[in-house]
Amino acid sequence: MTRTLLHRLAPARLHALEQIWAVLPEARLVGGVVRDLMVGRAIADVDLAVPQPPEEVMQGLKAQGITVVPTGLAHGTVTAVIDSAPYEITTLRRDVETDGRHAVVCWTDNWQEDAARRDFTINAMSCDSTGAVHDYFGGQQDLAEGTVRFVGDATLRIQEDALRILRFFRFWGRYGQGRADAQAMQAITAQAALLNGLSVERVWSELKRILAGPKAQDVVYLMQQAGILPVLLPEGANVPLFARLMAFNPPADALLRLAALVPNKSADMARRLKFSRAEAAHLKAMQAEPVPLPKMSDAQLRHLLADTPPDILAARSWLYQARYSDVLGEELRQRLAQLEIPVFPIAGRDLLEAGCQPGPHVGQVLKDVRNWWQQGGCSADKQACLAYALELVKALP
């Protein structure tokens, strides 16, 4: 497997790594890149670890003309930039003190000691420049068997950082198979309250990835089984409604899936988790009226499209489908996608150019004409709308 594993990397990335290894021959690939190379998944980030302190790493890279940025010196991390791509390089560490959110670390040259502070066995492997994999905790076997297991004692790993509770479920959704690790589930259930000590931004970041990720329905069931849903979503989780939505294979849209999981008090949840304004507005719009229905004519759907973006209408139809098990929802969304988004063809300047006197009545006339245009299925063209507008103007007192 030695060179084969490395040759799964894109040529440009492998070439960049060879430049780094020329300076830091002891460096190893660590974490997610090793895991995903093994299972043949797309590689997002390429992270490395080294036994040298960060200042020495920077000095060596700069001496060879490699751009290097001190992105996290307090944590031993620098970033090499090669052909515009970043490569994070972190000095081996061991924890001196943890408080459930942050850790005080010191440098080490012991690879197993560094691996022991990682969360899961599948994330604790490293790969050197020869392609040899170093696996101190059985990560290869766990990856092959679909087991997501904490490194060492699950309780201690969670106490070091409670966000690992949510990371467990996210990684199980991507790599897990069969029953979840019993020790992990017991530790999570016992320490669910630690989630309350996390920043809501970190919680929402992980929850988004869980809901948009693979096997989201199974993961939510698993979270319910572990007893963390009341802690994570005190507004109340409607798991049956969420399951009905997922049964129709909705898009991997975290907000859409969340709208089904927390259909009530979603505005309260958005405030508590500090959604961005765009996220909060999008969630609110998805749950608003009117809802497009399969029985509507094309004219009625165009009426809705004139006021509401098609993605919002599609989301409303997904939620309606989940509530009422409407098997015609897919057909409706296909119709929505095929309809051209109507654009009201006139503006105030068109009335003025047609001879209408300026004044506050112009706005009211436009509003009345737009309502008439929508009621007719948005089919009237500019000429027809302008003619109707002028009739309204003539009728003004």
Side-chain angles (χ1 to χ4, degrees), residues 93-135:
R93 299 172 292 180
R94 63 180 176 86
D95 290 338
V96 175
E97 181 182 338
T98 61
D99 64 1
R101 287 175 295 177
H102 310 288
V104 177
V105 301
C106 68
W107 315 143
T108 181
D109 59 2
N110 187 312
W111 285 95
Q112 184 166 343
E113 196 172 39
D114 181 84
R117 67 184 300 276
R118 298 182 182 270
D119 49 11
F120 310 113
T121 60
I122 61 174
N123 294 337
M125 297 177 285
S126 58
C127 175
D128 63 29
S129 60
T130 71
V133 173
H134 302 263
D135 179 12

Side-chain angles (χ1 to χ4, degrees), residues 239-254:
V239 176
L241 180 61
F242 177 76
R244 289 200 297 273
L245 173 70
M246 297 303 295
F248 289 109
N249 193 28
D253 180 335

Side-chain angles (χ1 to χ4, degrees), residues 39-117:
V39 296
R41 295 197 178 204
I43 304 301
D45 301 314
V46 177
D47 298 331
L48 301 97
V50 292
Q52 295 88 353
E55 294 79 10
E56 185 178 326
V57 172
M58 290 188 66
Q59 184 178 0
L61 292 170
K62 286 181 177 179
Q64 294 302 312
I66 297 174
T67 300
V68 58
V69 182
T71 45
L73 284 181
H75 301 285
T77 300
V78 302
T79 299
V81 181
I82 301 175
D83 295 331
S84 301
Y87 297 83
E88 279 198 356
I89 305 172
T90 302
T91 299
L92 298 177
R93 299 172 292 180
R94 63 180 176 86
D95 290 338
V96 175
E97 181 182 338
T98 61
D99 64 1
R101 287 175 295 177
H102 310 288
V104 177
V105 301
C106 68
W107 315 143
T108 181
D109 59 2
N110 187 312
W111 285 95
Q112 184 166 343
E113 196 172 39
D114 181 84
R117 67 184 300 276

Side-chain angles (χ1 to χ4, degrees), residues 141-346:
Q141 181 176 344
D142 285 344
L143 192 60
E145 295 177 352
T147 299
V148 180
R149 184 167 57 90
F150 284 98
V151 172
D153 186 281
T155 297
L156 292 177
R157 294 289 82 79
I158 292 170
Q159 289 174 351
E160 289 166 355
D161 185 355
L163 193 68
R164 288 172 172 169
I165 291 175
L166 297 182
R167 284 174 59 82
F168 172 83
F169 293 106
R170 174 160 64 87
F171 280 100
W172 189 88
R174 284 167 169 76
Y175 303 95
Q177 297 291 334
R179 294 179 64 86
D181 181 70
Q183 186 192 58
M185 291 290 284
Q186 290 168 4
I188 288 169
T189 299
Q191 299 179 98
L194 292 180
L195 288 170
N196 291 321
L198 294 171
S199 74
V200 292
E201 291 88 351
R202 294 180 80 198
V203 169
W204 174 223
S205 176
E206 284 293 326
L207 183 57
K208 268 193 289 193
R209 298 169 79 176
I210 288 170
L211 291 175
K215 297 195 295 186
Q217 182 177 344
D218 292 339
V219 175
V220 167
Y221 280 143
L222 201 61
M223 292 164 72
Q224 183 181 42
Q225 180 184 337
I228 71 164
L229 282 186
V231 180
L232 189 63
L233 299 170
E235 294 81 9
N238 190 331
V239 176
L241 180 61
F242 177 76
R244 289 200 297 273
L245 173 70
M246 297 303 295
F248 289 109
N249 193 28
D253 180 335
L255 286 173
L256 170 63
R257 296 177 178 187
L258 186 65
L261 184 59
V262 187
N264 303 315
K265 300 184 178 179
S266 58
D268 295 339
M269 178 191 60
R271 283 190 292 270
R272 180 178 61 83
L273 293 179
K274 295 185 179 178
F275 282 18
S276 69
R277 288 184 180 179
E279 288 173 334
H282 196 75
L283 180 62
K284 182 179 179 180
M286 286 193 297
Q287 296 176 299
E289 299 284 346
V291 176
L293 301 174
K295 65 182 181 181
M296 287 182 172
S297 66
D298 284 358
Q300 289 172 311
L301 292 179
R302 282 195 296 269
H303 186 154
L304 300 184
L305 282 167
D307 288 330
T308 307
D311 62 322
I312 294 296
L313 291 178
R316 291 177 187 174
S317 79
W318 279 111
L319 296 174
Y320 180 89
Q321 188 173 15
R323 290 189 188 98
Y324 302 105
S325 299
D326 185 352
V327 296
L328 298 177
E330 184 59 34
E331 178 185 323
L332 168 66
R333 287 185 290 276
Q334 290 176 0
R335 290 174 58 204
L336 281 170
Q338 291 167 359
L339 288 173
E340 185 176 348
I341 299 175
V343 178
F344 185 48
I346 64 171

